[in-house]
Structure formats: structure tokens, C-alpha cells
Amino acid sequence: MDLLYSSGYACSALEYASKDEIIYICGNGLVIQSLQNSSQRVIRGTSFGIQGFAVNRKHGLVAVAEKGPNPAIHVYSVHDLQLLGSLHLDFPLGYTCLALSADGERLAVCGEEPHARISVYAWRKAEHIVTADLPQRSGTATSVSFHPYDGDRLAATLNTVGGQGSTHVWHIKRLWDRCEITSKKVLMDLTHPSSTHCWYPGGLYVGTSTGHLYAALVLPPPLPAAPPPAHSTAPSTRAGISRAISTCSDGGSVFLRAGAEGAKDG
């Protein structure tokens, strides 16, 4: 039996599936609602409900995380609702959030406690890329996203124990036989806990539960210093630039606060 229509909205995430459609959770279904008329298309859940979803508008993809014991994640085409792939992962209690990379090839998932970790997969191949535990006493992730131009960088906002939310940036480093992942915390005033984040080309906007907005500049890891020319003892221009970036970035990230009080280093 096909589900043709679903009514109701329980304040789930609401995103654009395309320029003319929005997508949201309704009961045990994912509704794709046309903005031009009242027509709906529905992806029916196959388990105990839908925990969350992630959309890639450019490539017409939606990843759907189920509820229930040992829940699966299914990836569908938004255009024809065709099932493109499924992942059965080691998150027995479910997921808190997920994201698709800009090229649509990677899927990031964050798990419920006690499996509070972030994992990245090449979902078409069902291939695990890398996993990292969330920082201690960070609770669970409430949102995760890829950098819009770099699938090796991610950000996540965490619901820290005690209500002190925080935002972290992860960088995936590719080695010859594996991948490693490292993280840095966005340094902010502790009286303004993080509640959400959004990428812009040079970094992150971080919103707080107190109504403040921060701009965080996220730089790539510093370039290696080039050796000076054999005929000169002066440092090369490239080396000078590398040192400048290294000094500013402290190993890959600079965080600046923007607000009425001006900007200051984090």
C-alpha cells in the first residue's frame, strides 16, 4: 500500500528539497511538499519512525535516519524517490543528526549516548572513512555539517553537559593507508553557549542560546615551509607566508568574535 498524503507538522527540521519544494517529518513519513500547489510526495518510514534527515539539493539526495533498535540510514533520490543505498551502522541506540557533503558522496552521522561519536562514510560504497569520539563531557551533537567546498572539513554543535553548548570543527587528513580526524573547539565567551552553526566560505557563523552571533574564521592547515634557494640564506616568500599562516592559525584554525564590542581573537 502506498502512502499518498500526510497531514501535520511536529516542529521537526524543515529544509528545501529543491527550489520549489520543502521537506519535513510527519509521523512515520518524510513529506516533500510543493510550494507551487498543495501536492505532496511522501517517503514512508520502514521502521519505528524517522529520527532525522539530511538533504543535498544540488544532487537531489535525501538521507533518512530511522528510529528503533539498530536503525538503518537510507538514501533516496528526491526526484523520483528511488532508494539509492542503505547503511546499517554500529549505532544501536540511533542517531542525533546527519549531513551529506557538497558533492553528495559522503555521509556524516552522530550517535546517541553512550555511542556519542562522529563517523564519516562513503555511502554509495557502504565504506567507513573515519570515526572520532566526541569531546569528553560534550553530550551529544545537535547538528553537523560539511564545509560547502571541502568534504574533509566538518562542524558540529554539541549539547554539552550542564547546558554549555559548544561548536567544534573537524579536519580529515588522508594518509596513504587510512584517514585521521582531528578537532578544534570554537573559542567563545562561556556566558553565550552555542546553539547552532552555519558555514560561510571563510568559516562559520555560530548562534548562541542568548541571541548572540559569532563569526569564526576557519583556515586550512598551514602550508609546509619551502626550503630557501641554494644561493641565498634569506627565507623564501612561500616560507614567509607559511610562517604567517602558522602563527595566525595555531595549527589550522583561527576563531574571531564579531559583535557590537568589536572583534577579538578567541
Side-chain angles (χ1 to χ4, degrees):
M1 180 182 296
D2 293 331
L3 180 62
L4 301 179
Y5 195 85
S6 183
S7 178
Y9 176 64
C11 298
S12 73
L14 183 69
E15 296 191 31
Y16 279 95
S18 66
K19 66 177 183 178
D20 297 321
E21 293 178 309
I22 57 174
I23 186 168
Y24 57 92
I25 298 172
C26 180
N28 194 21
L30 197 64
V31 176
I32 303 174
Q33 176 82 48
S34 171
L35 297 177
Q36 304 296 324
N37 51 55
S38 60
S39 64
Q40 286 187 351
R41 297 182 296 140
V42 182
I43 298 174
R44 187 172 185 175
T46 60
S47 185
F48 294 89
I50 295 175
Q51 184 73 43
F53 65 93
V55 177
N56 182 303
R57 290 177 56 193
K58 180 178 180 181
H59 296 278
L61 301 171
V62 57
V64 183
E66 295 181 337
K67 290 181 180 179
N70 301 306
I73 295 178
H74 306 293
V75 181
Y76 297 87
S77 166
V78 172
H79 305 300
D80 57 12
L81 305 189
Q82 178 184 355
L83 178 63
L84 303 177
S86 296
L87 294 173
H88 298 269
L89 310 177
D90 185 24
F91 289 87
L93 298 183
Y95 316 95
T96 60
C97 52
L98 62 163
L100 288 162
S101 61
D103 63 4
E105 296 301 314
R106 288 184 172 185
L107 176 70
V109 299
C110 297
E112 287 276 12
E113 291 183 308
H115 305 92
R117 59 182 184 265
I118 181 171
S119 295
V120 180
Y121 299 85
W123 65 268
R124 293 185 190 273
K125 303 175 184 178
E127 178 182 299
H128 172 258
I129 296 174
V130 71
T131 291
D133 291 332
L134 298 182
Q136 289 186 350
R137 297 185 58 79
S138 64
T140 57
T142 56
S143 62
V144 63
S145 63
F146 283 92
H147 189 284
Y149 303 122
D150 187 354
D152 286 333
R153 281 192 280 177
L154 306 94
T157 296
L158 313 179
N159 183 22
T160 308
V161 175
Q164 294 295 317
S166 61
T167 297
H168 296 250
V169 176
W170 278 266
H171 178 74
I172 299 173
K173 182 178 181 180
R174 306 182 196 188
L175 306 178
W176 72 275
D177 62 341
R178 67 187 188 281
C179 290
E180 291 183 348
I181 186 169
T182 57
S183 69
K184 285 184 175 291
K185 181 179 179 180
V186 179
L187 302 179
M188 295 168 50
D189 189 335
L190 295 179
T191 61
H192 303 296
S194 301
S195 60
T196 188
H197 72 270
C198 177
W199 286 100
Y200 68 92
L204 285 170
Y205 290 122
V206 181
T208 73
S209 58
T210 57
H212 289 71
L213 180 65
Y214 287 76
L217 178 62
V218 181
L219 296 180
L223 297 171
H231 62 276
S232 173
T233 58
S236 68
T237 302
R238 181 187 175 101
I241 293 174
S242 298
R243 283 198 300 272
I245 293 176
S246 179
T247 300
C248 293
S249 68
D250 190 23
S253 301
V254 167
F255 302 107
L256 304 178
R257 177 181 176 184
E261 300 174 2
K264 65 179 180 181
D265 291 348

